[in-house]
Amino acid sequence: PQDNTPISTTDLVKYISKELGRVNIIFRLFFLEMLIKKIRPEMHKRLYQNLFLDNSNTMAKLNLKNPYETHEGMRFMIHGEK
């Protein structure tokens, strides 16, 4: 299930990197991004925009609530639940 509040792909990468003890460097190649946007707008959308899934209706109907916040879930996924 999705988190109670959506997170960006960039934040997800940051959470995983932090839990792995790795430094991540996220940068954008603006020229390449603009070129793809002009030539292939749909490809640009898939590559450079965040994907949000809304399962709030399902969560409400099943009366579910996420037991963990995003950063906790990332920690458990990488290190296991203790």
Side-chain angles (χ1 to χ4, degrees), residues 12-75:
L12 183 62
V13 170
K14 288 178 184 177
Y15 284 135
I16 294 171
S17 296
K18 180 182 175 190
E19 290 304 323
L20 290 173
R22 306 251 171 107
V23 176
N24 69 336
I25 300 172
I26 298 175
F27 60 92
R28 297 176 93 166
L29 301 173
F30 291 105
F31 173 74
L32 181 60
E33 182 179 347
M34 291 301 120
L35 181 64
I36 293 171
K37 186 175 185 177
K38 186 169 182 81
I39 296 172
R40 305 267 318 261
E42 285 303 312
M43 180 185 280
H44 177 270
K45 185 177 181 180
R46 289 192 322 234
L47 290 173
Y48 289 98
Q49 292 183 353
N50 289 310
L51 173 65
F52 292 100
L53 302 174
D54 183 9
N55 67 349
S56 56
N57 191 26
T58 302
M59 298 287 279
K61 284 184 178 181
L62 296 175
N63 196 26
L64 295 174
K65 184 169 177 4
N66 290 324
Y68 306 110
E69 292 294 323
T70 303
H71 61 280
E72 294 171 322
M74 290 293 112
R75 187 178 329 110

Side-chain angles (χ1 to χ4, degrees), residues 4-15:
N4 297 325
T5 56
I7 63 168
S8 69
T9 306
T10 302
D11 287 341
L12 183 62
V13 170
K14 288 178 184 177
Y15 284 135

